[in-house]
Amino acid sequence: MKPVNLKRLAEELNLSIATVSRALQDSYEVSAATKERVRALATALHYEPNAYASSLRRNQSKTIGVVIPKVTNHFFALAINGIEEAARQRGYHVLIYLTHDDYAREVAIIQHLKGGRVDGILMSVASGTEDTAHIRSLRDANIPLVFFDRVRSEIATAQVTTNDYESSYQATEHLLAAGCRHIAHLLISNNLSIGRNRLQGYRDALHAHGLPPDPDLILAGTMNNEQNVGRLQDLMQHRPDIDGIFASVERLAVSAYHVCRQLGRRIPEDVKVVGFSNLESVSLFDPPLTTITQPAHDIGREAARILLQAVEKKRAISPSQSVVLNSELVQRRSTATA
Amino acid sequence: MKPVNLKRLAEELNLSIATVSRALQDSYEVSAATKERVRALATALHYEPNAYASSLRRNQSKTIGVVIPKVTNHFFALAINGIEEAARQRGYHVLIYLTHDDYAREVAIIQHLKGGRVDGILMSVASGTEDTAHIRSLRDANIPLVFFDRVRSEIATAQVTTNDYESSYQATEHLLAAGCRHIAHLLISNNLSIGRNRLQGYRDALHAHGLPPDPDLILAGTMNNEQNVGRLQDLMQHRPDIDGIFASVERLAVSAYHVCRQLGRRIPEDVKVVGFSNLESVSLFDPPLTTITQPAHDIGREAARILLQAVEKKRAISPSQSVVLNSELVQRRSTATA
DNA sequence: TTTATTTACGTAAACGTTTACACTCAGCTG
DNA sequence: CAGCTGAGTGTAAACGTTTACGTAAATAAA
C-alpha cells in the first residue's frame, strides 16, 4: 500500500505539495474550493502528518519532557495528570522519564533530551542529585525548564512549589497543640530544598514554643526503605519519650505507622503522627492519618502552563514567574487528643 | 552560538558529513584514527544527534506510546515503572497518553499516533470503549500493538493479562469459606474483558458451592465515583443480608469501606471485603484489606518486552505471544473469621 | 490603455540524518 | 606493468514537511 503523505495527496489532486500543505494549515493563500478538495481527500485517506518531518523542519516537536523521580509516588501521578491535561489542551505530547532518584540516570536523561527531542522540560530533581551542571547546560541548549516541587533554586528558572515552610510550621504547631513535646522529624533528604524548608518550619515552630532543638530526633531518610524502617525502629526504641512524629514525605509516614505497630505504640494515644501525603485512602488508615496534602494536580497543571507559554512565545523563563501554591492540613484521628 | 550538528563537526575536522556520521556509528568503513578524532570533538562540543532528523530518515523513532485510562490508579503507575525499565534498557523513549476512560479521547490519541510518532503502542483499553475500529486501524498503519490488563481479544495481537478468572474464583471461595452467603460483586465495567472474567470467576465459584446467582448483588460501576458510592449505599440498605463484598477494582473496594463505615456495618464482623488492589498501604487500613494483587510491574515489563522485540525484529505480533501472569490473594483482616 | 495589486498556485531550498554509490589511492596479483 | 582489490573517504539523494520566493492570471487603479 502506497504511503499517504503530502506527495500522494498532491498527485491525486493534481496540485503541488506546497498547496496541499498550505491547504491543510488553512493558509489564506489557498482558495476555499481547493481547501475543501484537499481536506476531503485527506480525511478519506486518513492522512496524518509525519510528526518527525514537521518537527525537523519547524525545529519544534510539540513535545515536553517530564523528568521525575518515580511515578509510583501518588504525588507525581497526580502531577502528571495535571501536566497531561495542560499539554493536551495545547496539542502537546508528554514524554515521561524516571530518575528513580538516581543522579547518574538524571544526567543521562538530561543529556539525551538536549538532542532536541523536546521543546521544554518539567522537572522534579532526584534526591541523589548534588551537582547541577547537567541542568544548567539546558540553558545553552536553549531548552526551557520549569521545576516543580523538588527544585534547585540556584538554577535561574521558574519553579512551582508549595508553601512547605508554612505548612510544616503549622503541622508542628498542630502536634504541639495536641500535647506533643518530643516530636521526631522524618526528613526526605538533605539535598532537597523541600526537605530543608520542611525541616526549618518544624524547627522554627519548636523554637517559637520554647522547645529546644534536639538533633537526635531528626532522621534523614535514604532511598532504601527497609533501612529507613530499621533506623526509625532504633530511634523509637532508644527514645521512648517520643510522642509525635512528623513525616515530611508519604513513604516515611507509612513507615512510621508500621514501626509504631511493631513496637506496640498506639496512635494517637502514645504517639501522634502527621505526614505529607496525597493518598486518598489515608482516611481508611487505622487510625486515619492527619496529612498535609499538596495540590498535586494544580502543581502539574501550573508548571506545564508556565512552560508551554514560554515555549509558544519563545520567551525565556524567569524566576519571577514562580508560583507558590498552598497545601492543606487535613486533621484526622492520628493526631486527635483524648 | 553555532549549532553543533554533523555539518559543524565535519567542517571543524575537515571531513565530510558522511564520514562523521559513520564514525559516530562506529562503522567499519572508518579508520580507527578518524573515529577517535570525531569522537573527541563530539564529546568536547557536547554533540547530541537530532532525534527528529534521525527518525525521519530511518523511519523509526525509538519511542513507544503508552495509552492508559489513568495514571493515578496505582496499578498503572507500577506498570509504567515496568515499561519504562524495559524501554530504557533498549534505548527507547516512553510517551504517555491518558484516556481518562473516555472513548473519544482514546480515538483521538490513536489517530494521532498513526502519524508515525511511535514505533509501537502499549495499551490498556478505556472502559468507555465499545467500538474498536480505531484500534484495528493501527494494523494498516503498520504500528505494532500489545495490550495489557484491559484487553480486547477481537484484535489479533499479543496481550499480557493476569489470571483474573482464577483469582476471582479463589477470592470468592475465600469469602465463602469465611462464612459469607450473600456476596455482592462490584464490577468495573461491562465493556471490559477483565470485568467479565472476574464476574465469571465469582459466578462460577458461587455455583460450585450450590449458591444461586442473584443479579441484584451485581453492581456495575461507572466512571463517576460518587454515583458508585450512592448506588452501593442503596444496595447495602436494601439488602441488609449482604455479608460479603468482592470489589473487582481498587477504587470500588475503597468505596465499599466508606459505605460500610457510613452505614455502621463492621468489617469483618458484619461484612467481609476483598478487592483487587495494588496499594501497598492497604495493610494500614482499618481493618487491613484482603486483596488480589496483580504483578503490575511485571505486566508492564513483559508487555514492553514483547512489543520491543517485535519492533526491533520488524516482525508481526501474534496472539500466540500472549502471556498470563498470576495474581496473588493476600489475606488480611477484612476477611478474617471470628 | 498601461501599470499596480491581489489571488492562487508552483518551484525549490531547507531542516539534520543516513546511506547507496562513486571515487581515490595503496598495495597486490598475474 | 596492466588490472584488480579493498580500505577510507566523498558526493548526493532521500526521508516528509514547511516556507521564501517566483509567477501567472485576474482584478483594480491610473
Side-chain angles (χ1 to χ4, degrees):
Chain A
M1 214 180 63
K2 273 208 269 186
V4 38
N5 48 27
L6 289 184
K7 189 171 161 203
R8 168 86 180 281
L9 294 180
E11 279 168 5
E12 308 230 348
L13 292 166
N14 268 322
L15 287 170
S16 74
I17 292 179
T19 303
V20 176
S21 172
R22 282 190 279 245
L24 292 171
Q25 292 173 79
D26 206 16
S27 159
Y28 67 97
E29 294 183 275
V30 177
S31 73
T34 307
K35 277 183 192 171
E36 211 31 68
R37 285 209 308 143
V38 171
R39 278 199 277 250
L41 186 65
T43 55
L45 296 184
H46 299 108
Y47 168 73
E48 192 70 26
N50 183 300
Y52 295 106
S54 175
S55 294
L56 176 60
R57 176 55 221 248
R58 305 180 99 126
N59 197 27
Q60 52 143 316
S61 59
K62 286 271 176 186
T63 304
I64 60 174
V66 178
V67 182
I68 55 174
K70 42 185 50 177
V71 71
T72 46
N73 179 326
H74 206 63
F75 171 80
F76 289 116
L78 287 167
I80 289 177
N81 246 345
I83 291 167
E84 210 260 356
E85 179 187 316
R88 186 214 306 277
Q89 275 173 9
R90 292 163 201 248
Y92 276 73
H93 298 247
V94 179
L95 273 168
I96 300 276
Y97 297 91
L98 306 177
T99 64
H100 294 280
D101 274 319
D102 182 45
Y103 171 64
R105 287 207 193 181
E106 189 176 278
V107 173
I109 289 165
I110 295 294
Q111 173 62 23
H112 211 106
L113 289 182
K114 285 196 287 185
R117 195 177 274 271
V118 297
D119 295 340
I121 294 178
L122 292 175
M123 181 169 186
S124 220
V125 184
S127 65
T129 296
E130 301 194 359
D131 184 47
T132 55
H134 59 299
I135 306 181
R136 259 177 283 122
S137 74
L138 286 175
R139 179 168 287 271
D140 304 333
N142 230 2
I143 300 179
L145 167 73
V146 172
F147 284 118
F148 68 100
D149 199 53
R150 306 193 180 177
V151 308
R152 298 291 290 223
S153 297
E154 72 263 36
I155 312 257
T157 189
Q159 49 190 46
V160 178
T161 51
T162 48
N163 58 341
D164 287 318
Y165 174 84
E166 288 81 4
S167 33
S168 289
Y169 192 103
Q170 187 189 357
T172 310
E173 274 198 319
H174 175 59
L175 287 173
L176 290 168
C180 301
R181 284 300 170 269
H182 305 277
I183 303 174
H185 183 85
L186 310 185
L187 181 63
I188 172 172
S189 159
N190 286 315
N191 289 333
L192 294 174
S193 56
I194 58 167
R196 287 193 300 271
N197 292 340
R198 291 171 187 185
L199 177 59
Q200 200 55 45
Y202 155 84
R203 275 185 174 141
D204 289 358
L206 290 186
H207 183 74
H209 287 74
L211 288 179
D214 184 343
D216 292 349
L217 292 184
I218 296 170
L219 191 65
T222 68
M223 268 149 280
N224 180 340
N225 209 27
E226 290 168 29
Q227 194 180 21
N228 293 340
V229 170
R231 286 195 197 168
L232 182 54
Q233 241 165 357
D234 286 351
L235 176 62
M236 297 285 289
Q237 278 174 326
H238 280 84
R239 294 291 301 263
D241 59 325
I242 290 177
D243 53 8
I245 298 177
F246 176 16
S248 84
V249 65
E250 184 173 282
R251 194 163 38 80
L252 293 171
V254 171
S255 298
Y257 263 52
H258 280 128
V259 168
C260 285
R261 246 176 227 199
Q262 278 166 23
L263 300 180
R265 311 290 294 273
R266 293 168 306 165
I267 306 173
E269 292 82 356
D270 304 332
V271 184
K272 303 195 197 304
V273 182
V274 57
F276 275 82
S277 172
N278 282 277
L279 271 184
E280 287 135 37
S281 53
V282 289
S283 62
L284 297 179
F285 279 21
D286 178 24
L289 173 65
T290 294
T291 58
I292 300 167
T293 299
Q294 299 177 276
H297 184 92
D298 295 350
I299 292 177
R301 191 161 33 77
E302 197 59 21
R305 205 186 50 75
I306 294 172
L307 180 69
L308 291 177
Q309 223 165 55
V311 165
E312 298 195 327
K313 300 254 173 35
K314 298 196 183 308
R315 186 160 46 73
I317 300 180
S318 94
S320 67
Q321 296 177 260
S322 296
V323 172
V324 178
L325 300 173
N326 288 337
S327 298
E328 189 187 1
L329 178 68
V330 183
Q331 300 185 21
R332 298 197 183 83
R333 198 139 51 75
S334 71
T335 56
T337 51
Chain B
M1 212 181 63
K2 273 207 270 186
V4 37
N5 47 26
L6 290 183
K7 188 171 164 202
R8 168 87 179 281
L9 294 180
E11 278 168 5
E12 308 230 347
L13 291 167
N14 266 323
L15 286 171
S16 74
I17 292 178
T19 303
V20 175
S21 172
R22 283 190 278 246
L24 291 171
Q25 294 174 77
D26 204 17
S27 159
Y28 67 97
E29 295 182 277
V30 177
S31 74
T34 307
K35 278 183 191 171
E36 211 31 71
R37 285 209 307 144
V38 171
R39 279 199 276 250
L41 186 65
T43 56
L45 296 185
H46 299 110
Y47 167 73
E48 191 70 26
N50 181 300
Y52 294 106
S54 177
S55 292
L56 177 60
R57 177 57 222 245
R58 304 179 100 127
N59 197 26
Q60 53 143 313
S61 59
K62 286 269 175 189
T63 305
I64 59 174
V66 177
V67 182
I68 54 175
K70 42 184 51 177
V71 72
T72 46
N73 179 324
H74 206 62
F75 170 81
F76 289 116
L78 287 168
I80 289 177
N81 244 347
I83 292 168
E84 210 259 358
E85 180 187 316
R88 186 214 307 278
Q89 275 174 8
R90 293 162 200 248
Y92 276 73
H93 299 246
V94 179
L95 273 170
I96 300 274
Y97 298 89
L98 306 178
T99 63
H100 295 281
D101 275 319
D102 182 46
Y103 171 64
R105 288 208 192 181
E106 189 177 277
V107 173
I109 290 166
I110 295 294
Q111 174 60 23
H112 211 105
L113 289 181
K114 285 196 286 183
R117 194 178 274 270
V118 297
D119 295 340
I121 295 178
L122 292 175
M123 179 169 189
S124 224
V125 184
S127 64
T129 295
E130 301 195 358
D131 185 47
T132 55
H134 59 298
I135 307 180
R136 260 177 283 124
S137 74
L138 287 174
R139 179 169 287 271
D140 304 334
N142 231 2
I143 300 178
L145 166 74
V146 172
F147 284 118
F148 67 101
D149 198 52
R150 306 192 181 179
V151 308
R152 299 290 289 223
S153 297
E154 72 262 34
I155 312 254
T157 188
Q159 50 189 45
V160 178
T161 52
T162 48
N163 57 342
D164 286 316
Y165 174 85
E166 289 81 3
S167 31
S168 289
Y169 192 104
Q170 188 188 357
T172 309
E173 275 198 319
H174 174 58
L175 288 174
L176 291 168
C180 301
R181 283 300 170 268
H182 304 275
I183 304 173
H185 184 84
L186 309 185
L187 180 62
I188 172 174
S189 157
N190 285 314
N191 289 332
L192 294 173
S193 57
I194 58 168
R196 287 194 300 270
N197 292 338
R198 291 172 188 183
L199 177 60
Q200 198 56 45
Y202 155 83
R203 275 186 174 142
D204 289 357
L206 290 186
H207 183 73
H209 287 73
L211 288 180
D214 184 344
D216 291 350
L217 292 183
I218 297 169
L219 191 65
T222 68
M223 268 148 277
N224 180 340
N225 210 24
E226 290 168 29
Q227 193 181 20
N228 293 339
V229 170
R231 286 196 198 168
L232 183 54
Q233 243 165 356
D234 287 350
L235 177 62
M236 299 284 290
Q237 278 174 324
H238 279 84
R239 295 290 301 260
D241 58 324
I242 290 177
D243 53 8
I245 298 177
F246 176 17
S248 84
V249 64
E250 185 172 283
R251 193 162 39 80
L252 293 172
V254 171
S255 298
Y257 263 53
H258 280 126
V259 168
C260 285
R261 247 178 227 197
Q262 278 166 22
L263 300 181
R265 312 290 295 273
R266 293 168 306 164
I267 306 174
E269 293 82 356
D270 303 331
V271 183
K272 302 192 198 307
V273 181
V274 55
F276 274 82
S277 172
N278 281 277
L279 271 183
E280 287 135 37
S281 52
V282 289
S283 63
L284 297 178
F285 279 20
D286 179 23
L289 173 66
T290 294
T291 57
I292 299 169
T293 299
Q294 298 176 276
H297 183 92
D298 295 349
I299 292 176
R301 189 161 34 74
E302 196 61 21
R305 204 186 50 73
I306 294 171
L307 180 68
L308 291 177
Q309 225 167 50
V311 166
E312 298 195 327
K313 299 254 168 41
K314 297 194 186 308
R315 186 159 47 72
I317 300 179
S318 93
S320 67
Q321 294 177 262
S322 296
V323 172
V324 178
L325 300 173
N326 288 336
S327 297
E328 192 187 0
L329 178 69
V330 183
Q331 301 185 20
R332 297 195 183 84
R333 201 140 49 75
S334 71
T335 55
T337 51

